[in-house]
Amino acid sequence: VQLQASGGGLVQAGGSLRLSCAASGRSYYMYWFRQAPEKEREFVAAISWATGSAWYGDSAKGRFTISRDNAKSTLYLQMNSLRPEDTAIYYCAADPILRVGSGAYRGMDYWGKGTLVTVSS
């Protein structure tokens, strides 16, 4: 599975941004993670490619929505009400096993290169 994230950029606090991740090939679960400078990689959201069931990290609940388009083999992350603390490099990932929460990034089979999101105050 090859993954390519896009859609990052600079946005003001309170604004919205949609990230995309084009996938060549599929795995059972698709993920978004993020990593701010000098911080551990953080689980943001996961989705079952087959059913669309979704799981969210605490920082994403109520503000972010993960979705996928099967026909386009593309994963999305709609981010609303953005805050300066959302500033990070956002990565998409894929794995046949559902992993959520702290440390979920460990053992991921596939990673995209990441896209930078900067939220200004």
Side-chain angles (χ1 to χ4, degrees):
V1 178
Q2 292 185 327
L3 305 171
Q4 180 63 55
S6 62
L10 175 63
V11 62
Q12 287 189 331
S16 298
L17 210 56
R18 189 177 79 158
L19 305 183
S20 300
C21 176
S24 62
R26 294 181 185 177
S27 193
Y28 289 111
Y29 298 96
M30 303 292 292
Y31 299 81
W32 287 102
F33 290 87
R34 68 185 185 185
Q35 189 164 19
E38 301 183 359
K39 290 193 175 181
E40 188 178 30
R41 195 163 292 192
E42 178 187 4
F43 169 75
V44 176
I47 190 167
S48 165
W49 198 266
T51 67
S53 297
W55 296 263
Y56 293 93
D58 288 341
S59 61
K61 289 177 182 175
R63 299 189 299 130
F64 296 180
T65 302
I66 189 172
S67 62
R68 86 277 187 247
D69 184 325
N70 287 359
K72 295 182 179 179
S73 292
T74 301
L75 175 71
Y76 300 101
L77 185 68
Q78 177 66 43
M79 304 186 294
N80 299 328
S81 302
L82 283 162
R83 306 164 181 165
E85 53 264 41
D86 294 317
T87 295
I89 298 174
Y90 284 71
Y91 298 90
C92 55
D95 198 85
I97 297 173
L98 177 62
R99 309 173 192 269
V100 300
S102 177
Y105 66 92
R106 298 190 183 99
M108 283 286 147
D109 276 1
Y110 306 100
W111 288 97
K113 284 190 176 181
T115 185
L116 177 62
V117 172
T118 303
V119 183
S120 63
S121 56

